[in-house]
Amino acid sequence: MFREVERKLINPNQFLVIINSLTDGLMVFDSENRLLLSNKKIEDFFGVKNEEILGKKIEEFSQFPLLKNLFFLLGREIKEVWKKELEVSFNLILETSVSPIFIDSNTKGKLVILHDITREKTIDKIKSEFITIASHQLRTPISAVRWTLEKLLEEELGKLTDNQKKIIQEGIISCQRMTQVLNIFLDTARIEEGRYLRKFSLCDLEKVVEEVIKSYQEAIQKKEIKLEFQVLTPKLPKVKIDLEPITLVIQNLLDNAIRYTTNGGIVAIHLKSTKKEIVFSIRDTGIGIKEEEREYIFKKFFRGSNALRINPEGNGLNLFIAKNIIEAHGGKIWFETEKEGTVFYFTLPLK
């Protein structure tokens, strides 16, 4: 009944008019990865006529200057991807998603959707450049203010009362915090520009974690948190990483766990390895993450509503930075959470 109604409402010519009016590019491949259908937007994106590419296998796209990057992204088998960026040219970036086409529970082909995100990426680039310039410009006067306050605190310009010393010390702490925020902004800008990772070497991740834990002993003791650290795999292999950024990831995850765990809570860190990767996990007994906010956790500047109530001064960049660093290493990062407590995981490939 439905198909009869469908045939009456839409004939093949009307269907083609509809798909050609879409603002996204659309490609349909058969089970042999030959192009069955593509809309007008594909011609606009890649500078080819649909007649030139219809019936061709995806590997034949390598013959076309602007289409070859699509082949390099998806491969001969047209792997399933979700919102992967494809740089077609200097002024065109497409968000690419692939999903299988099922008929009677059998895969009969692949649907490729290409969405133009050039404007969004351009805006992001402008924002990153502004953050970089502003951060550099602000660091010099903040350093000068801090230096002045430190000289006053050393009483080089005369004796101070205890109350004056306390006020000056608070000013120095504020300068330190502002410098940390500026450093985070600069790190974010460098990550987005793809120039953050610089020096890779074989490292013992167990020792890296131990050093990070040592640096947080005061905060751990202050909140009376019980911290557990276990290596679940004997003789954990070394992993090739850029040490400073990976240290920053572990610091960010531990800082969040301590910050959002109530006094007397538990934070447990585990390391283990498989044949292909090292797996890091950090579990806390903190506030958890609301279900409706979970998809935004790794977004830039996002902070959960319950986290905002506890610490309104955060910047929402720690997890964004962590995600980008881990993915730049070829790993992945994710979390599991309930009403109370969250576990963050990340992997690093052994290669």
Side-chain angles (χ1 to χ4, degrees), residues 219-340:
I220 291 167
Q221 292 170 6
K222 186 177 180 179
K223 294 192 73 173
E224 298 179 344
I225 287 172
K226 182 182 178 183
L227 190 137
E228 303 170 357
F229 175 41
Q230 285 184 292
V231 179
L232 305 178
T233 304
K235 296 182 180 178
L236 194 74
K238 290 187 176 182
V239 62
K240 195 170 187 179
I241 57 173
D242 190 336
L243 179 58
E244 187 177 329
I246 289 297
T247 300
L248 179 61
V249 171
I250 297 167
Q251 287 173 342
N252 287 351
L253 294 175
L254 180 56
D255 186 82
N256 278 358
I258 294 169
R259 189 182 304 274
Y260 301 119
T261 295
T262 54
N263 289 11
I266 298 171
V267 174
I269 300 174
H270 291 159
L271 280 177
K272 66 178 182 180
S273 68
T274 67
K275 290 181 180 180
K276 295 183 178 180
E277 61 193 12
I278 285 182
V279 183
F280 170 97
S281 68
I282 179 166
R283 178 188 298 273
D284 64 56
T285 55
I287 58 177
I289 301 167
K290 291 183 177 181
E291 186 173 354
E292 64 271 19
E293 297 177 341
R294 292 173 190 176
E295 64 179 298
Y296 306 108
I297 284 300
F298 293 108
K299 298 288 186 183
K300 186 166 55 173
F301 300 122
F302 177 79
R303 300 191 65 219
S305 54
N306 49 0
L308 279 167
R309 285 195 296 271
I310 292 173
N311 179 28
E313 295 181 359
N315 53 51
L317 288 171
N318 283 357
L319 292 177
F320 170 82
I321 290 172
K323 181 177 186 291
N324 280 271
I325 291 172
I326 294 300
E327 289 181 350
H329 278 79
K332 57 183 180 180
I333 185 168
W334 71 100
F335 66 90
E336 296 171 359
T337 186
E338 296 178 357
K339 288 182 180 179
E340 290 185 3

Side-chain angles (χ1 to χ4, degrees), residues 95-109:
E95 189 177 72
T96 308
S97 297
V98 178
S99 59
I101 299 171
F102 292 104
I103 299 176
D104 299 328
S105 301
N106 296 315
T107 304
K108 294 297 182 181

Side-chain angles (χ1 to χ4, degrees), residues 110-206:
K110 301 281 179 62
L111 172 66
V112 180
I113 299 172
L114 299 146
H115 177 64
D116 188 352
I117 56 168
T118 309
R119 182 175 180 274
E120 293 92 324
K121 298 301 294 183
T122 302
I123 292 170
D124 281 346
K125 184 179 179 182
I126 292 169
K127 287 192 291 186
S128 293
E129 289 173 352
F130 171 76
I131 288 171
T132 301
I133 294 168
S135 297
H136 278 299
Q137 292 296 322
L138 286 169
R139 288 179 77 173
T140 301
I142 289 171
S143 297
V145 171
R146 180 179 171 180
W147 180 84
T148 303
L149 292 174
E150 286 174 345
K151 290 300 176 185
L152 286 172
L153 194 62
E154 291 167 5
E155 298 186 324
E156 291 188 8
L157 302 175
K159 289 288 183 182
L160 300 171
T161 65
D162 291 342
N163 194 42
Q164 288 171 331
K165 288 180 181 179
K166 183 181 177 181
I167 292 170
I168 292 172
Q169 187 63 53
E170 288 174 354
I172 292 171
I173 292 170
S174 294
C175 287
Q176 290 172 337
R177 286 176 180 165
M178 181 58 73
T179 301
Q180 288 172 351
V181 170
L182 294 177
N183 288 338
I184 290 170
F185 284 157
L186 287 169
D187 287 344
T188 303
R190 282 193 284 263
I191 284 170
E192 291 181 318
E193 292 166 10
R195 58 185 180 90
Y196 190 67
L197 304 185
R198 294 181 296 273
K199 187 178 179 181
F200 283 79
S201 60
L202 277 174
C203 296
D204 184 339
L205 200 62
E206 179 180 354

Side-chain angles (χ1 to χ4, degrees), residues 15 19 25-31 33-39 42 53-56 61 78 99 101 108-113:
F15 176 72
I19 68 164
L26 188 74
M27 288 177 156
V28 177
F29 291 85
D30 65 14
S31 57
N33 298 325
R34 291 184 185 277
L35 184 63
L36 288 177
L37 177 71
S38 59
N39 68 349
I42 295 299
I53 56 176
L54 284 171
K56 292 187 181 293
F61 286 5
I78 309 184
S99 59
I101 299 171
K108 294 297 182 181
K110 301 281 179 62
L111 172 66
V112 180
I113 299 172

